[in-house]
Amino acid sequence: MFYLFILFAISSQFNTLLRVSVDSQSMSAAPFAWGFALVAVCLYFFGAKKKNYMDIQTLSFLLIFFVVVLWFPFSMQSVFTEYIIRFLQFLSAFAVYVYSRNNFFLNYPKETIIKYFLILQLPSILFGLMEVVYILSDSELLLSLLYDIRQVTSGRPGVIYMKSIVFHFLEHSMSVSYILMLISIMIVWFSCKYQENNSTSILKELRYKSGLSGFSFFLISTFLFILFHRSGTFTVILAGSVFFAILNAGIRSKFYLLILSLPILYFLLNTPLIAVKVDQLMMGQMMANDFYRLSSVLSSLGNLLQYPFGIGPGSFSAEYFSGIIHFLDYFNLNSTFGDLVYSNADIISKNPANEVNTTRATSQTLYLGLVSELGVVFILFLFVFHKNIFLKRFSMIKFAEVAIILNLCLGYPMAYPQLWIALGLIHAAYNQNKT
């Protein structure tokens, strides 16, 4: 199991080494890290004499997976190729979640497991630190090195010119999940440490043995990634999570969160790309690529209103354009959003009425896209799967899960393993700490 863990931990940071062309105009990544997780889950299931108890969250995930498998034959809107993609996405997400939820089936203390996992993430963490240095120095030599590395690991090296933290993802908005995974692991690691010693504090860890400890290296690196990431998605997630935390935290925690968040949000909102977006929104305009992302939300809600029990697994692409029309018609918003819809080339290219050069629509909002496909059944799953944020008192672990939920709502490829790793560790930590 330990060798599978090493392979999983290393490959989980390179989501785009395998690239497939879905149609003539787009390229998708085919992550393979979940394969090692699936092998480990199967080995445990068939080989372990004593099985772990299946909790309600894991059971709900398994049941929704079977819903996806069994619903397709009864859904006329589903497209078979899209259904296969959705099936593999659910299989990968479920395998990774179960794998990390059970501490990767390793008989080590969780603190030790997390330490090894972080050490195995050094290729991406060091690459991210190089990106930070490049943003600050504008070094042509460093730019060339980063470009060459990304040409091998991502296939889209030009994204490095955005001067954002991208790691090895196709675009910088996708790397949000990696940063959230690091944040979650830091919180779970510190939570385990605190359970062992109530006098433990972040400041003590930072000055451990009068120098930089392993914890402080990864913590400071993660903080730098937060500061120098440039996607609007990340800013919205951070702002939404901080708002939730301030509402739910105690008076002392509210004060600390507010003081900590203000300089970070100020720094992010004053980066050139995000500042342009904010200025356009203040003037009543919206950038085309941002509206295209919003269109997935409109489509999902429109389909849910039209079909409360879902349009069927694997049908989002086929019903994407009609979902937008359902939304506009239901709320009588054609005069408000109609021009934006019909003037956006990305949206119009997904209109089935265009018999020539019709392109495939991909959900930019994972959870909302699945809500449109599975309807109220998936909404019930969300309440069960994320029950801890409703039942548990406020904690930093809860803060991390809220940030992950926002990321899953605003855009996250389901087959990517990062957030399922984080959720598995977080949900296991809830049970361990009883917080």
Side-chain angles (χ1 to χ4, degrees):
M1 288 295 188
F2 188 69
Y3 294 109
L4 281 173
F5 169 74
I6 292 174
L7 292 172
F8 172 78
I10 292 175
S11 60
S12 64
Q13 58 199 295
F14 300 108
N15 295 323
T16 53
L17 280 176
L18 297 179
R19 293 181 291 276
V20 295
S21 178
V22 178
D23 56 42
S24 59
Q25 299 184 18
S26 66
M27 178 182 64
S28 295
F32 60 93
W34 66 273
F36 300 117
L38 183 62
V39 170
V41 170
C42 291
L43 287 175
Y44 171 80
F45 180 78
F46 291 110
K49 295 179 181 179
K50 184 179 179 181
K51 303 295 190 299
N52 288 341
Y53 171 74
M54 183 174 286
D55 60 280
I56 187 66
Q57 288 165 305
T58 305
L59 180 60
S60 68
F61 209 147
L62 182 62
L63 289 176
I64 203 70
F65 176 63
F66 279 115
V67 167
V68 170
V69 173
L70 299 175
W71 200 323
F72 169 74
F74 304 98
S75 175
M76 297 303 294
Q77 293 97 334
S78 296
V79 178
F80 182 71
T81 54
E82 293 289 335
Y83 164 73
I84 294 298
I85 292 173
R86 196 71 72 244
F87 171 82
L88 292 174
Q89 287 175 334
F90 262 100
L91 180 62
S92 63
F94 179 73
V96 171
Y97 174 77
V98 171
Y99 187 44
S100 57
R101 172 90 188 226
N102 291 278
N103 293 330
F104 309 100
F105 302 121
L106 297 175
N107 294 319
Y108 297 100
K110 178 171 285 187
E111 181 186 340
T112 303
I113 294 173
I114 288 176
K115 180 181 72 174
Y116 284 135
F117 186 85
L118 287 173
I119 290 173
L120 292 168
Q121 299 301 303
L122 279 174
S124 280
I125 290 173
L126 293 176
F127 185 90
L129 291 175
M130 289 168 62
E131 289 182 295
V132 171
V133 175
Y134 164 63
I135 292 170
L136 293 172
S137 66
D138 204 21
S139 167
E140 290 294 328
L141 179 63
L142 199 53
L143 170 63
S144 178
L145 178 60
L146 292 170
Y147 188 95
D148 290 341
I149 294 173
R150 273 188 56 85
Q151 198 161 26
V152 175
T153 59
S154 74
R156 288 186 65 182
V159 182
I160 203 71
Y161 292 115
M162 296 181 68
K163 290 191 174 182
S164 180
I165 306 300
V166 191
F167 302 109
H168 306 287
F169 291 82
L170 288 173
E171 56 185 68
H172 72 155
S173 63
M174 291 181 180
S175 64
V176 173
S177 61
Y178 192 82
I179 297 174
L180 289 182
M181 183 192 75
L182 293 176
I183 293 171
S184 301
I185 289 176
M186 292 285 102
I187 291 173
V188 171
W189 187 94
F190 186 76
S191 174
C192 295
K193 193 81 171 176
Y194 182 79
Q195 290 295 315
E196 295 177 0
N197 182 2
N198 288 342
S199 65
T200 297
S201 69
I202 291 180
L203 290 178
K204 285 183 178 180
E205 293 299 329
L206 288 174
R207 61 175 186 261
Y208 174 63
K209 291 183 179 179
S210 301
L212 288 178
S213 65
F215 172 82
S216 61
F217 170 76
F218 291 112
L219 180 66
I220 292 171
S221 298
T222 303
F223 184 74
L224 289 172
F225 300 153
I226 293 172
L227 282 180
F228 288 94
H229 192 73
R230 296 290 187 263
S231 77
T233 300
F234 184 67
T235 305
V236 173
I237 291 171
L238 186 62
S241 302
V242 169
F243 180 72
F244 172 86
I246 291 174
L247 289 180
N248 287 270
I251 295 177
R252 181 185 294 181
S253 297
K254 288 181 193 290
F255 176 76
Y256 290 146
L257 284 166
L258 191 60
I259 296 300
L260 179 62
S261 62
L262 286 178
I264 295 176
L265 289 173
Y266 175 83
F267 187 89
L268 290 172
L269 289 171
N270 281 275
T271 57
L273 180 61
I274 297 176
V276 169
K277 293 183 179 182
V278 172
D279 288 342
Q280 287 202 332
L281 286 173
M282 295 298 290
M283 293 186 295
Q285 299 175 346
M286 184 176 290
M287 296 179 73
N289 59 335
D290 291 322
F291 184 72
Y292 175 57
R293 186 176 295 275
L294 176 62
S295 71
S296 290
V297 178
L298 304 185
S299 173
S300 300
L301 295 178
N303 282 325
L304 178 65
L305 292 169
Q306 187 75 10
Y307 306 101
F309 291 97
I311 54 178
S315 58
F316 179 85
S317 293
E319 299 297 319
Y320 161 78
F321 191 81
S322 60
I324 297 175
I325 303 305
H326 292 322
F327 181 88
L328 297 181
D329 290 343
Y330 188 89
F331 292 102
N332 196 24
L333 292 173
N334 278 291
S335 59
T336 305
F337 287 107
D339 290 340
L340 290 174
V341 169
Y342 291 102
S343 62
N344 190 294
D346 286 326
I347 296 175
I348 292 301
S349 67
K350 277 75 175 178
N351 185 355
N354 298 331
E355 297 180 0
V356 181
N357 295 328
T358 301
T359 58
R360 171 179 174 265
T362 56
S363 175
Q364 304 292 318
T365 53
L366 173 61
Y367 267 3
L368 292 179
L370 291 172
V371 163
S372 75
E373 291 192 347
L374 305 177
V376 294
V377 175
F378 191 74
I379 294 174
L380 291 174
F381 159 78
L382 292 180
F383 280 107
V384 175
F385 189 61
H386 296 293
K387 65 184 179 66
N388 294 317
I389 67 170
F390 305 106
L391 301 177
K392 305 292 184 179
R393 63 182 176 84
F394 178 77
S395 64
M396 289 307 294
I397 291 180
K398 191 173 181 178
F399 172 82
E401 184 164 5
V402 169
I404 289 171
I405 292 170
L406 288 173
N407 195 179
L408 288 166
C409 287
L410 294 177
Y412 178 72
M414 191 174 188
Y416 283 19
Q418 284 76 33
L419 296 189
W420 308 116
I421 295 171
L423 284 173
L425 293 172
I426 285 172
H427 289 173
Y430 274 124
N431 292 342
Q432 178 181 328
N433 301 335
K434 302 298 182 183
T435 55

